[in-house]
Amino acid sequence: MPAVTSGKILVTGASGFIAVHVVQQLLEKGFSVRGTVRSQDKGEYLQKLFSKYGDKFEYVIVEDIEKDNAFDEAVKGVDGVEHTASPFHFNAEDPKELVGPAVQGTVGVLKSIKKNAPSVKRVVVTSSVASILEPREQDVWTEKDWNQFSIDEVNEKGKDASPQHKYRASKSLAERAAWKFVEDEKPAFDLATVNPPLVLGPIIHQVSKLDSLNTSIAQFYDLITGKKQDGLDAFAGNAVDVRDVATTHVLALTSEQASGERFISASERGKFSWQDAADALHDAFPDDEYVKANVPVGKLGVGKQIAGQVHSSAKAQKELGQKFTEQEKTFVDTYKSLRERQKEWGL
């Protein structure tokens, strides 16, 4: 299936942390973008944010992505779809609260496209390394791996499954459902997925108060406000810059070779510890009184020696030609962005 290199792109969940960067990069490349949002307030924020692009950006309201035919109108007349809408939090008691929106939202948009948008050539779905990783020893994880463990755990334990496995099962089931839809329904469009780990980087989406911070950035905020003090030198997972995740989404849409493929979007080093982030901030801002007063010093340099698994982005680097941001720059830019937001929040 040929790639999408021009025209109008639908971005679902357009007010989200990753999605706003996807919208911005698409607009920069000359695409027109239609974003779905849950409320007029969120839509107007985006309209103002992207005002310099004039009528190249528009929004439509989709209040509930789980409803049947929720995207029927939104998909009409577009050439490609970036489906980013899905919950990322660990607050659900019942796994259905996460699995429902993730699976129904994904399958729902694919059904709407097949029914109402014959012009769509490719759909890119935001998945996660949560649909790849299992709790076992493995040095390097790639797109060939699938997380079945979390699905089994949720099926077996239901509400008693851990919050992490509820979330991971939702992502794994949603991505599997997307691939199964394409296999069974054989639509006119093809599919690619993007699978990031912990996403950090500058915030450009609407965050009107501290409590509205998305989960990954909230973890970083705990570091820069001194709440995160213990275990800085422990393996914290893998990280990626939000701007890089957005680039992977755009490349997956515009590259012919992305058809039918999954792509892990992760920094080249991949693994990190919170000590690495603390070191980067103290190094970049040696005279910053806020950093000196709040960001823990820990044990300088020990983060570089951590053992841990790598979520490999080698495939995106090789097949899409993508280059990834150094972790230190991501940490610094996340800090700058949060300090700006603190002023808006009056903190």
Side-chain angles (χ1 to χ4, degrees):
M1 181 71 68
V4 183
T5 55
S6 63
K8 182 175 285 188
I9 309 301
L10 177 71
V11 179
T12 69
S15 59
F17 174 44
I18 295 171
V20 179
H21 285 274
V22 175
V23 172
Q24 184 173 59
Q25 290 191 22
L26 287 168
L27 290 168
E28 285 171 357
K29 291 196 170 296
F31 287 97
S32 294
V33 177
R34 177 185 298 156
T36 74
V37 292
R38 290 194 309 273
S39 68
Q40 185 173 350
D41 180 53
K42 290 181 181 296
E44 290 302 315
Y45 175 90
L46 295 180
Q47 198 89 63
K48 186 176 177 183
L49 182 66
F50 299 125
S51 59
K52 71 176 183 180
Y53 297 101
D55 60 3
K56 285 272 193 178
F57 176 78
E58 63 188 43
Y59 72 88
V60 293
I61 295 172
V62 177
E63 291 179 355
D64 184 358
I65 66 173
E66 281 189 85
K67 279 188 179 171
D68 287 341
N69 310 314
F71 294 102
D72 274 9
E73 292 302 314
V75 300
K76 289 179 179 177
V78 301
D79 301 286
V81 177
E82 301 268 14
H83 177 58
T84 78
S86 191
F88 173 28
H89 61 80
F90 301 136
N91 305 326
E93 182 182 347
D94 189 334
K96 291 175 185 172
E97 292 175 34
L98 290 176
V99 172
V103 174
Q104 298 307 324
T106 301
V107 173
V109 75
L110 297 178
K111 284 181 177 176
S112 292
I113 295 164
K114 187 184 179 196
K115 183 169 58 175
N116 285 344
S119 54
V120 169
K121 303 180 191 75
R122 180 165 299 163
V123 178
V124 179
V125 171
T126 310
S127 186
S128 167
V129 294
S131 70
I132 288 173
L133 309 176
E134 292 190 324
R136 57 183 164 85
E137 290 300 314
Q138 184 168 313
D139 291 339
V140 179
W141 295 84
T142 73
E143 292 85 355
K144 293 176 182 174
D145 297 304
W146 279 96
N147 176 8
Q148 181 60 38
F149 183 94
S150 296
I151 297 172
D152 294 342
E153 189 84 348
V154 164
N155 285 340
E156 185 183 322
K157 297 182 178 177
K159 292 181 181 180
D160 295 327
S162 74
Q164 284 82 1
H165 284 307
K166 290 172 187 173
Y167 169 71
R168 289 179 175 183
S170 78
K171 297 305 289 186
S172 194
L173 287 165
E175 188 183 345
R176 285 169 189 257
W179 289 115
K180 189 174 188 309
F181 180 92
V182 171
E183 184 183 344
D184 291 350
E185 300 291 328
K186 297 180 173 47
F189 57 83
D190 60 14
L191 179 69
T193 64
V194 178
N195 302 66
L198 187 78
V199 184
L200 300 171
I203 308 163
I204 59 172
H205 66 299
Q206 184 180 28
V207 185
S208 52
K209 58 185 188 299
L210 177 59
D211 291 348
S212 301
L213 272 182
N214 54 297
T215 305
S216 58
I217 295 295
Q219 293 182 47
F220 194 92
Y221 192 78
D222 284 348
L223 176 76
I224 70 165
T225 52
K227 289 181 185 173
K228 194 186 290 292
Q229 294 276 350
D230 299 329
L232 295 180
D233 57 349
F235 171 67
N238 280 228
V240 64
D241 194 296
V242 65
R243 294 164 292 194
D244 291 339
V245 181
T247 298
T248 311
H249 278 78
V250 174
L251 290 171
L253 183 78
T254 58
S255 305
E256 199 168 326
Q257 62 271 30
S259 175
E261 300 291 344
R262 309 169 85 196
F263 293 99
I264 292 175
S265 184
S267 64
E268 203 161 334
R269 180 177 181 234
K271 61 184 178 180
F272 83 107
S273 71
W274 290 109
Q275 182 69 57
D276 295 321
D279 290 352
L281 297 183
H282 284 291
D283 183 55
F285 306 106
D287 302 319
D288 185 316
E289 294 301 326
Y290 187 92
V291 170
K292 288 196 278 188
N294 294 286
V295 179
V297 174
K299 302 170 190 170
L300 182 68
V302 299
K304 296 298 182 194
Q305 293 136 42
I306 56 165
Q309 304 167 340
V310 171
H311 310 157
S312 174
S313 60
K315 182 177 175 182
Q317 293 176 51
K318 183 181 177 184
E319 296 187 15
L320 302 179
Q322 183 167 4
K323 294 187 173 13
F324 287 86
T325 305
E326 293 288 331
Q327 286 184 357
E328 289 76 13
K329 177 172 172 53
T330 301
F331 298 145
V332 166
D333 289 354
T334 308
Y335 170 75
K336 287 179 181 175
S337 179
L338 282 168
R339 292 289 286 139
E340 284 298 316
R341 289 301 172 119
Q342 282 180 322
K343 294 173 191 171
E344 294 174 22
W345 302 327
L347 298 175

